[in-house]
């Protein structure tokens, strides 16, 4: 249990670790889904190709979209992309980094599905059973069979229980031939994905490490800023609701006094503490205006240091004087008593 607790805490440490954990769970789920899936080839010339390629390509597309849906950054990316310019510019490099990061994680589960499907070989056997070279592997001179009848016979290769073309080509030979091709494609796909991941991880810091660090930093900043804004809004809503409820009960004080029920003394103090957290926003219209202002013109990413007050004030637009300070000379005198 301690190991599982440590793994769970690691996944919750930051957004990237959490999404890596989600993608790992989706990859394991994709393999379990394929192992539990009951593959039934239709064994018809005009349907085998569509069924086989559909099982090979449609579930990875669904898993890819599901990876985007489960990623919390997709809404943040859409919000950052569609928001007005306002007082803060939008950096396309940060948007590209966020999209590429989500796409890389969302591709893990589809890549696992395609790899497992190709290594298993059922989809390729069903899809391309009518393309088996009968001239090489079977008896192409079989009499009394037209081209259409040959296609119907070959379409039944995945269905061993109804296959009746042993005189044309042995079922075991055709299945073994197609499965070998499928496994070769599967290992090539795994090697390609591994090579691409290695190149992305190893060569990216050699060319654009500074730009990558900048994009990653501001991507994390946008995520943290959004979380802090949500927490601040939730705290303001809690304080607003607390003050509203206490004012409602204070408005009912006449009836409570008539019923000989008195409000506790602490209520006023709690209301004062909650009112301080409202920061002057005490009505619905002002809060809506604050939310719209945050969306339309976010504050610029530049922190101004507080101005130091002086007796005569500063000349100019609130800027401190730029006169160099004169260094002070200190002297020490030593007295000796003789």
């Amino acid at each position: 249990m301690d190991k599982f607790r440590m793994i769970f805490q690691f996944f919750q440490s930051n957004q990237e670790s959490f999404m890596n954990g989600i993608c790992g769970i989706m990859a394991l789920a994709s393999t379990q889904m394929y192992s539990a899936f009951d593959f039934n080839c239709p064994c018809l010339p005009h349907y085998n190709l569509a069924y086989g390629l559909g099982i090979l390509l449609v579930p990875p597309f669904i898993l890819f979209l599901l990876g985007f849906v489960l990623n919390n950054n997709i809404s943040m990316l859409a919000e950052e992309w569609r928001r007005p310019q306002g007082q803060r510019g939008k950096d396309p490099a940060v948007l590209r980094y966020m999209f590429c990061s989500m796409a890389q994680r969302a591709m893990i589960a589809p890549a696992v599905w395609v790899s497992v499907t190709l290594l298993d070989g059922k989809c390729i056997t069903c899809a391309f059973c009518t393309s088996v070279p009968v001239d090489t592997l079977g008896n192409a001179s079989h009499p009394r069979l037209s081209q259409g009848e040959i296609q119907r016979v070959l379409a039944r290769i995945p269905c061993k229980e109804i296959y009746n073309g042993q005189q044309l080509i042995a079922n075991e030979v055709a299945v073994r031939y197609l499965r070998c091709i499928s496994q070769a494609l599967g290992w090539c796909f795994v090697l390609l994905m591994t090579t691409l991941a290695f190149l992305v991880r190893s060569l990216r810091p050699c060319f654009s490490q500074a730009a990558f660090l900048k994009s990653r930093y501001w991507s994390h900043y946008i995520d943290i800023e959004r979380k802090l804004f949500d927490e601040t809004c939730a705290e303001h809503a809690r304080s607003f609701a607390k003050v509203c409820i206490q004012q409602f009960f204070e408005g009912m004080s006449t009836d409570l006094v008539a019923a000989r029920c008195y409000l506790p003394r602490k209520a006023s103090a709690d209301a004062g503490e909650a009112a301080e957290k409202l920061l002057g926003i005490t009505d619905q219209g002002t809060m809506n205006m604050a939310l719209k202002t945050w969306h339309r013109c976010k504050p610029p990413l530049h922190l101004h240091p507080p101005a130091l007050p002086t007796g005569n004030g500063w000349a100019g637009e609130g800027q401190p004087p730029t006169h160099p300070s004169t260094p002070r000379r200190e002297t020490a005198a030593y007295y000796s008593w003789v």
Side-chain angles (χ1 to χ4, degrees), residues 47-117:
Y47 297 96
N48 285 7
L49 181 63
Y51 182 81
L53 294 182
I55 298 300
L56 179 65
L57 300 177
V58 173
F61 180 72
I62 297 175
L63 291 173
F64 181 74
L65 295 181
L66 187 62
F68 272 100
V69 171
L70 295 179
N71 199 321
N72 296 329
N73 291 338
I74 185 64
S75 59
M76 182 177 63
L77 174 62
E79 179 183 354
E80 183 68 15
W81 178 50
R82 293 294 300 171
R83 72 171 177 84
Q85 188 75 13
Q87 299 181 7
R88 182 188 303 179
K90 293 183 286 186
D91 193 352
V94 177
L95 300 179
R96 286 194 301 268
Y97 170 81
M98 295 169 62
F99 178 79
C100 293
S101 178
M102 289 186 292
Q104 290 175 6
R105 292 185 175 91
M107 283 293 295
I108 296 177
V112 172
W113 177 277
V114 173
S115 302
V116 173
T117 304

Side-chain angles (χ1 to χ4, degrees), residues 49-220:
L49 181 63
Y51 182 81
L53 294 182
I55 298 300
L56 179 65
L57 300 177
V58 173
F61 180 72
I62 297 175
L63 291 173
F64 181 74
L65 295 181
L66 187 62
F68 272 100
V69 171
L70 295 179
N71 199 321
N72 296 329
N73 291 338
I74 185 64
S75 59
M76 182 177 63
L77 174 62
E79 179 183 354
E80 183 68 15
W81 178 50
R82 293 294 300 171
R83 72 171 177 84
Q85 188 75 13
Q87 299 181 7
R88 182 188 303 179
K90 293 183 286 186
D91 193 352
V94 177
L95 300 179
R96 286 194 301 268
Y97 170 81
M98 295 169 62
F99 178 79
C100 293
S101 178
M102 289 186 292
Q104 290 175 6
R105 292 185 175 91
M107 283 293 295
I108 296 177
V112 172
W113 177 277
V114 173
S115 302
V116 173
T117 304
L118 290 177
L119 293 175
D120 185 57
K122 293 180 181 178
C123 290
I124 298 298
T125 302
C126 179
F128 299 100
C129 58
T130 56
S131 301
V132 174
V134 181
D135 299 337
T136 306
L137 302 177
N139 184 15
S141 61
H142 192 274
R144 296 183 303 275
L145 285 180
S146 62
Q147 188 65 27
E149 293 175 346
I150 293 177
Q151 293 294 318
R152 283 193 295 271
V153 171
L154 294 178
R156 298 177 182 177
I157 290 178
C159 306
K160 187 177 181 180
E161 62 277 1
I162 62 173
Y163 181 69
N164 57 354
Q166 292 291 342
Q167 297 179 356
L168 181 65
I169 183 174
N171 181 271
E172 293 79 5
V173 174
V175 171
R176 186 180 296 271
Y177 172 78
L178 294 173
R179 184 166 293 178
C180 289
I181 294 177
S182 179
Q183 291 179 352
L185 293 175
W187 285 116
C188 290
F189 180 79
V190 173
L191 179 61
L192 177 62
M193 292 293 103
T194 307
T195 305
L196 289 178
F198 170 76
L199 292 177
V200 169
R201 289 287 186 177
S202 59
L203 297 182
R204 181 172 56 184
C206 300
F207 295 98
S208 58
Q209 180 67 9
F212 170 73
L213 290 176
K214 184 193 67 158
S215 302
R216 183 177 182 180
Y217 175 85
W218 290 116
S219 174
H220 290 174

Side-chain angles (χ1 to χ4, degrees), residues 38-51:
D38 188 11
F39 188 88
N40 293 314
C41 186
C43 295
L44 296 173
H46 302 289
Y47 297 96
N48 285 7
L49 181 63
Y51 182 81

Side-chain angles (χ1 to χ4, degrees), residues 224-270:
I224 295 174
E225 183 187 51
R226 185 186 184 188
K227 291 180 180 178
L228 291 177
F229 184 77
D230 292 341
E231 293 175 1
T232 304
C233 290
E235 184 179 359
H236 184 277
R238 181 179 179 85
S239 302
F240 192 87
K242 189 173 184 179
V243 173
C244 286
I245 293 173
Q246 289 180 348
Q247 288 182 356
F248 168 76
F249 281 102
E250 288 176 359
M252 300 291 294
S253 60
T254 304
D255 296 338
L256 294 175
V257 170
R260 296 183 179 180
C261 296
Y262 298 94
L263 293 174
R265 297 282 183 179
K266 194 177 179 181
S268 59
D270 294 342

Side-chain angles (χ1 to χ4, degrees), residues 277-337:
K277 297 180 181 179
L278 296 178
L279 301 177
I281 303 177
T282 57
D283 62 282
Q284 183 179 5
T286 307
M287 189 63 198
N288 292 338
M289 184 179 65
L291 296 175
K292 291 179 181 179
T293 304
W294 175 263
H295 172 69
R296 292 177 180 176
C297 53
K298 290 186 178 180
L301 299 178
H302 178 68
L303 303 179
H304 299 279
L308 299 177
T310 59
N312 298 328
W314 288 329
E317 298 179 357
Q319 297 295 331
T322 58
H323 301 291
S325 59
T326 304
R328 297 175 56 186
R329 297 182 60 186
E330 298 181 358
T331 58
Y334 297 93
Y335 300 92
S336 60
W337 298 86

